[in-house]
Amino acid sequence: MGGGKHQINKAHKSRFSSKSSRNIHKTSVKDRLAIVKNDRNIGKGARAARLQRNKMIREQKKAAVLKEKRELTGSKCPPRVIVLFALCATVDLEPLADDLLTLLSKEFSAARSETVASSEYRTRATVLKAPHGDLLSCMEMAKVADLLVFVASARSSCEDTDSYFTDSFGSQCLSVFRSLGLPSTAVFIRDLPTELKQRNELKKICTSSLATEFPEDCKFYPADTKEDLHKFLSLFKEQRLKTPHWRTQRSYLMANKVDTVYDGNSEKCTLVLSGYLRARNLSVNQLVHVSGAGDFQLCKIEVLKDPFPLNSRKNQDLMDSDEVHDVEVIRTLVPDPDNQESLVAENTPDPLAGEQTWPTEAEIAEADEDQKQKKIRKRKLPAGTSEYQAAWIVDDSDDEESDCDNEDVDGMVLDEVDGFPGQEGNEYLDHDGDGASLRLGDSEDETDNDSVMMEVDNMTREKIQDELKELKEAHAADEEYPDEVDTPLDVPARKRFAKYRGLKSFRTSSWDPKESLPQDYAKIYEFDNFKRLQKHVLAKALELEKENREDCVSVGSYARLHIKEVPSAVASKLCIIAKTTPITTCGLLKHESKLSVLHFSVKKHETYETPIKSKEELIFHVGFRQFVGRPTFSSEFINTDKNKMERFLHAGRFSVASIYAPISFPPLPTIVLKRVREDATPVVAAVGSLKTVDPDRIILKRVILTGYPQRVSKRKASVRHMFYNPEDVKWFKPVELYTKRGLRGRIKEPVGTHGAIKCLLNGVLEQRDTVCLNLFKRAYPKWPTRHFPILDF
């Protein structure tokens, strides 16, 4: 390192060389305020607005919580309904209900009502005991329960179920309650030992055994002594109860008293129901549904003085029955004839609506032009076909016509555009291959062994039936064919299946939803956009809820509903049912009394083993309402507008049940009951929910005609037992064939005189394979003989 260069070292890195220069880089406060004055003011204003907004939100939440708390313990809130349900038949609910009522009322009396007001706990409650074994009563109580208390006994041992504390009826009701939507729940454990260690151990065992059956927020309480019940009531008065969503959209009233008033007419009477109004305000112009009895109009509503006031004297907690009945009428509401909703449920069809009008001159000229073009193009028609019949035969101008060896088409025609006969994308074939061309090959490429396959048949009808029976029994053990039907021997297939048609593709072929509708469709109502209608009706009901209208009764009021023109037999039945089951009345939204086609997504209940066939009479519990329907079951496909009908409700999966019934706005839980015998109590057959209301939903019934190979020569085969005369073969010739093992093909010509057919397939047919042909027709629900099941109970 030589030279005259001097070493240069880096300067010491220091942020500030001295204390005096420490603040040189900083801007003075005065200058900084001058620079950012405007920005700082904007930030301060935004921050102040944000703080003010957050403070306002907190105050609103506090006010809402305080208001809810006051309503829970105030006189404006209707009494809470506590339903006691025994999980096992050995549990006795009488002493438990007496202890609860004694704590709430502080005195015991045999004439005490089920509804009491407690000044000590600052709450009002109605205690109901669900009768074990009576499914209908348990369901009706669960629909109105604010708190569902399940009572288990630590000494019970139910060996017929997985849990030792729940019997078969308890398990069935639990599944039904879950389908309805559980409100707030609690579990009482009874018959615990007095020794503390054994008591805690047995409580843990019971809790761990039952915890999986209930929601996570469900709490378990010992309930042997009044001290245990006192702890529960102390928590219950402050508890925020949850309610299923479907119960908050409609007003309803659980009747404490049911009376009838006759006005000289022995067939009709006025039904009088008294009780607390819940969930929503009720207008006197609305229609009401009495559970199981039907839809009715109100003639008046009387708002009564509260028979169980919370701020009354202590001796008024216990009221005699005479004092309850002798109530004071505060005000009376009378409906307005101009604004009252109509009770018309069925549409009145115009008998002349189907009449054809006289065509215009332009339509006549167009028809003449079409007729001239048809005459220019000559068609070879079957013998005996008139001009009118020939007009319904659709010509197929595709290149496929040349592939059929220019053969004549008799009867049924394949038309892909108009949805006429063809082949379905079925469960045995891939739907994505609907448009694939068939590589059938020409007859010239194959070895012609027609002389071998065309065997003269000299079989009698008995021999045919015996052979067909043997084939059916042989295939029954291998696989089940749900839609397979037998071609009749004494009736031509073209007449037996005259209403059926083929489909080129089940997914893409068109089917007009307005085509050939039954007469029952003239009675129902249809809306252009049901979802938009539902949104409008619910929004209108919410607006009316916020307004203080003079024709409405507010929530929590003790009201007396006068329901007019109730059949005397129905009213008498309701008076009998009211002794064991609460009678519930709900207000109906606009249009909910009109009949239409309702579709339910249902699943067969695990406890029901008997087959449920389509169009059998079933009882539908839809929310608070009850209908009688004869449903058509169908499966649902996502990528098409058509749905396949199911002859039975299959276990283990959901199906769609379609019925004629009054309109209801979904979502609503659905319980389907079936009466095994006329004198038997209905049992739970299926559970589900209301899906939609749509008369245009297309349900297609499929039938599969099957044939069995007789002679096979590569891709040509002779098939028997699909038809029994050559005319049927010609009629169904345009419909495409398929086999269970994935081949596709078509009919070439009849063979012999007994209905055997020569088929051409796109592959080599195995002798053990089965040849199938699909036909479809639209299916509809069956009109019920009655719509409401009250007289069956």
Side-chain angles (χ1 to χ4, degrees):
M1 296 180 64
K5 295 183 178 180
H6 299 283
Q7 182 178 355
I8 300 175
N9 297 326
K10 289 183 178 181
H12 177 68
K13 290 183 178 180
S14 175
R15 188 175 182 184
F16 309 114
S17 59
S18 63
K19 291 183 178 180
S20 60
S21 61
R22 181 173 297 175
N23 297 323
I24 291 178
H25 68 287
K26 293 184 178 180
T27 307
S28 64
V29 177
K30 183 177 180 182
D31 295 338
R32 188 168 67 251
L33 290 176
I35 294 172
V36 298
K37 184 176 181 181
N38 295 334
D39 296 339
R40 190 192 64 175
N41 290 340
I42 293 175
K44 183 177 180 181
R47 181 173 180 272
R50 187 171 64 254
L51 293 176
Q52 181 66 22
R53 181 175 178 273
N54 293 339
K55 181 180 179 182
M56 182 178 64
I57 292 175
R58 287 195 302 269
E59 291 178 353
Q60 289 177 352
K61 289 183 178 180
K62 289 180 181 180
V65 172
L66 184 60
K67 180 181 178 182
E68 183 179 2
K69 216 170 184 183
R70 289 174 178 173
E71 288 180 351
L72 292 177
T73 58
S75 59
K76 293 184 179 180
C77 178
R80 292 182 167 186
V81 180
I82 303 175
V83 176
L84 304 178
F85 178 79
L87 292 175
C88 188
T90 58
V91 178
D92 188 8
L93 298 178
E94 289 291 339
L96 178 60
D98 290 339
D99 291 342
L100 285 173
L101 292 174
T102 302
L103 285 174
L104 291 172
S105 62
K106 287 299 182 181
E107 295 183 18
F108 179 81
S109 174
R112 178 174 46 203
S113 173
E114 295 175 340
T115 302
V116 292
S118 174
S119 57
E120 178 182 356
Y121 295 101
R122 299 295 300 170
T123 186
R124 296 186 296 177
T126 300
V127 181
L128 301 177
K129 302 180 292 293
H132 196 85
D134 189 352
L135 179 63
L136 295 177
S137 298
C138 293
M139 285 175 53
E140 293 301 316
M141 291 183 182
K143 291 178 184 179
V144 297
D146 294 319
L147 179 66
L148 196 54
V149 179
F150 298 93
V151 185
S153 175
R155 298 178 183 175
S156 62
S157 59
C158 303
E159 299 180 356
D160 57 339
T161 58
D162 297 336
S163 176
Y164 288 103
F165 306 100
T166 308
D167 59 6
S168 58
F169 180 78
S171 300
Q172 182 186 24
C173 286
L174 273 174
S175 63
V176 172
F177 295 162
R178 283 192 288 264
S179 301
L180 286 173
L182 283 174
S184 296
T185 57
V187 178
F188 283 178
I189 303 176
R190 304 269 292 177
D191 302 329
L192 291 172
T194 56
E195 202 274 325
L196 184 60
K197 185 176 181 180
Q198 296 180 359
R199 181 185 181 90
N200 292 335
E201 290 180 355
L202 194 56
K203 181 184 175 183
K204 288 181 179 179
I205 294 173
C206 186
T207 302
S208 61
S209 177
L210 296 174
T212 58
E213 301 290 338
F214 303 101
E216 295 181 356
D217 58 348
C218 180
K219 295 184 179 181
F220 292 76
Y221 301 92
D224 287 323
T225 62
K226 290 186 177 181
E227 288 75 11
D228 297 333
L229 297 178
H230 173 71
K231 295 178 181 178
F232 163 74
L233 291 176
S234 300
L235 298 174
F236 171 71
K237 68 177 182 180
E238 302 292 340
Q239 184 178 358
R240 182 180 180 181
L241 302 180
K242 64 178 183 180
T243 306
H245 174 69
W246 63 271
R247 278 168 50 178
T248 62
Q249 293 185 331
R250 296 165 182 81
S251 59
Y252 66 96
L253 180 143
M254 185 184 70
N256 296 338
K257 182 182 177 184
V258 180
D259 292 324
T260 55
V261 177
Y262 291 89
D263 298 331
N265 188 0
S266 59
E267 297 181 358
K268 299 283 186 177
C269 66
T270 300
L271 183 66
V272 182
L273 303 179
S274 303
Y276 289 93
L277 189 64
R278 304 171 188 270
R280 290 286 184 92
N281 296 343
L282 177 65
S283 173
V284 70
N285 295 318
Q286 280 183 259
L287 298 179
V288 294
H289 175 87
V290 181
S291 184
D295 304 337
F296 302 98
Q297 288 180 326
L298 296 170
C299 59
K300 66 176 179 179
I301 298 179
E302 296 177 340
V303 181
L304 309 179
K305 183 180 179 181
D306 196 339
F308 302 98
L310 190 60
N311 54 355
S312 59
R313 300 188 306 271
K314 291 185 178 181
N315 58 0
Q316 287 184 350
D317 291 337
L318 179 65
M319 303 184 68
D320 296 334
S321 59
D322 296 338
E323 295 176 355
V324 175
H325 296 332
D326 188 13
V327 292
E328 177 184 351
V329 178
I330 299 177
R331 65 187 180 116
T332 302
L333 305 179
V334 181
D336 184 4
D338 297 332
N339 297 327
Q340 190 173 21
E341 294 187 15
S342 174
L343 199 58
V344 176
E346 297 183 9
N347 184 28
T348 303
D350 185 3
L352 300 178
E355 292 293 331
Q356 183 178 359
T357 58
W358 189 258
T360 62
E361 295 181 359
E363 292 175 346
I364 294 175
E366 184 180 356
D368 293 340
E369 187 67 23
D370 293 341
Q371 189 68 20
K372 291 179 182 179
Q373 293 180 0
K374 288 181 180 180
K375 288 182 178 180
I376 294 174
R377 182 182 178 184
K378 295 182 179 180
R379 293 187 300 173
K380 193 173 180 180
L381 302 174
T385 304
S386 64
E387 290 293 334
Y388 176 77
Q389 293 172 337
W392 292 95
I393 299 180
V394 182
D395 293 330
D396 194 352
S397 60
D398 296 338
D399 295 334
E400 295 178 0
E401 189 173 357
S402 60
D403 297 337
C404 297
D405 300 330
N406 294 325
E407 294 173 344
D408 300 332
V409 177
D410 294 342
M412 185 168 285
V413 182
L414 179 64
D415 190 355
E416 183 178 358
V417 178
D418 294 335
F420 280 89
Q423 172 60 31
E424 167 212 13
N426 54 71
E427 57 184 309
Y428 303 102
L429 302 176
D430 189 1
H431 285 284
D432 297 335
D434 289 333
S437 61
L438 298 180
R439 303 176 63 183
L440 300 177
D442 298 330
S443 58
E444 299 175 355
D445 298 335
E446 303 293 342
T447 304
D448 194 0
N449 292 331
D450 292 347
S451 60
V452 178
M453 292 186 296
M454 296 179 64
E455 190 177 83
V456 179
D457 296 339
N458 295 320
M459 301 176 63
T460 62
R461 179 174 296 182
E462 291 76 10
K463 191 173 182 180
I464 293 175
Q465 290 178 345
D466 294 340
E467 183 179 351
L468 187 59
K469 183 178 180 181
E470 292 176 1
L471 290 172
K472 293 291 184 180
E473 292 175 354
H475 284 79
D478 180 43
E479 190 174 5
E480 182 182 3
Y481 308 105
D483 296 322
E484 181 180 337
V485 296
D486 296 331
T487 305
L489 296 174
D490 52 348
V491 180
R494 61 185 182 277
K495 294 183 179 179
R496 167 62 179 84
F497 304 108
K499 295 182 179 180
Y500 289 81
R501 66 176 66 170
L503 288 179
K504 182 68 176 177
S505 169
F506 187 84
R507 180 174 59 88
T508 60
S509 295
S510 62
W511 195 298
D512 186 6
K514 305 297 185 183
E515 176 188 357
S516 301
L517 295 177
Q519 290 294 331
D520 294 334
Y521 263 53
K523 305 176 186 178
I524 65 174
Y525 287 85
E526 182 183 7
F527 303 96
D528 293 336
N529 192 328
F530 184 76
K531 291 185 178 180
R532 183 175 61 189
L533 173 72
Q534 177 180 354
K535 184 178 180 181
H536 173 73
V537 169
L538 294 178
K540 190 69 176 177
L542 188 60
E543 291 178 3
L544 297 178
E545 183 73 16
K546 296 179 181 179
E547 300 176 0
N548 295 325
R549 298 179 52 178
E550 296 181 355
D551 61 339
C552 292
V553 181
S554 60
V555 177
S557 302
Y558 191 82
R560 182 188 293 163
L561 307 183
H562 293 257
I563 305 172
K564 64 179 181 180
E565 295 184 358
V566 179
S568 300
V570 173
S572 302
K573 194 70 175 178
L574 287 172
C575 294
I576 298 174
I577 295 175
K579 298 178 181 178
T580 56
T581 305
I583 303 300
T584 307
T585 303
C586 69
L588 299 181
L589 301 175
K590 192 175 182 180
H591 305 301
E592 280 198 326
S593 65
K594 296 179 173 59
L595 293 175
S596 187
V597 182
L598 277 63
H599 306 283
F600 300 87
S601 178
V602 296
K603 182 180 180 181
K604 192 174 181 180
H605 199 262
E606 57 270 11
T607 60
Y608 193 82
E609 299 178 355
T610 308
I612 304 175
K613 192 176 181 180
S614 284
K615 300 184 180 180
E616 284 187 344
E617 188 174 88
L618 301 175
I619 302 173
F620 287 76
H621 285 244
V622 185
F624 291 114
R625 308 175 77 181
Q626 298 180 23
F627 308 134
V628 175
R630 307 183 72 174
T632 295
F633 300 114
S634 61
S635 58
E636 187 172 14
F637 296 103
I638 300 176
N639 58 348
T640 181
D641 60 343
K642 294 175 285 295
N643 307 276
K644 190 174 77 68
M645 174 187 166
E646 297 177 347
R647 290 176 174 83
F648 294 91
L649 180 61
H650 300 287
R653 61 186 177 88
F654 280 92
S655 298
V656 179
S658 305
I659 64 171
Y660 294 110
I663 293 172
S664 296
F665 293 111
L668 285 172
T670 302
I671 307 296
V672 182
L673 305 180
K674 184 181 178 182
R675 191 180 299 278
V676 182
R677 299 185 307 273
E678 294 185 358
D679 56 344
T681 304
V683 296
V684 178
V687 295
S689 61
L690 177 60
K691 181 180 178 64
T692 183
V693 178
D694 184 14
D696 290 340
R697 188 175 187 270
I698 300 175
I699 303 173
L700 299 183
K701 180 180 180 180
R702 181 180 71 173
V703 296
I704 302 177
L705 305 182
T706 56
Y708 304 95
Q710 181 184 11
R711 297 287 187 271
V712 177
S713 175
K714 295 185 179 181
R715 289 188 287 182
K716 296 176 68 176
S718 176
V719 178
R720 304 176 60 183
H721 299 302
M722 183 176 288
F723 305 108
Y724 295 109
N725 58 75
E727 288 76 14
D728 289 341
V729 178
K730 295 178 181 179
W731 180 270
F732 291 100
K733 186 176 180 180
V735 184
E736 195 173 5
L737 303 177
Y738 72 96
T739 69
K740 295 296 184 181
R741 297 185 179 272
L743 299 180
R744 302 172 71 178
R746 60 181 175 86
I747 299 174
K748 286 200 67 177
E749 60 185 12
V751 179
T753 59
H754 291 277
I757 58 176
K758 188 201 302 186
C759 303
L760 186 62
L761 303 167
N762 64 344
V764 179
L765 179 65
E766 298 181 12
Q767 193 71 39
R768 59 181 176 174
D769 206 348
T770 305
V771 181
C772 303
L773 182 145
N774 288 344
L775 298 175
F776 299 89
K777 77 170 182 178
R778 189 171 177 185
Y780 304 92
K782 200 166 185 179
W783 195 269
T785 55
R786 66 194 190 286
H787 290 290
F788 305 105
I790 182 64
L791 297 179
D792 295 341
F793 298 151

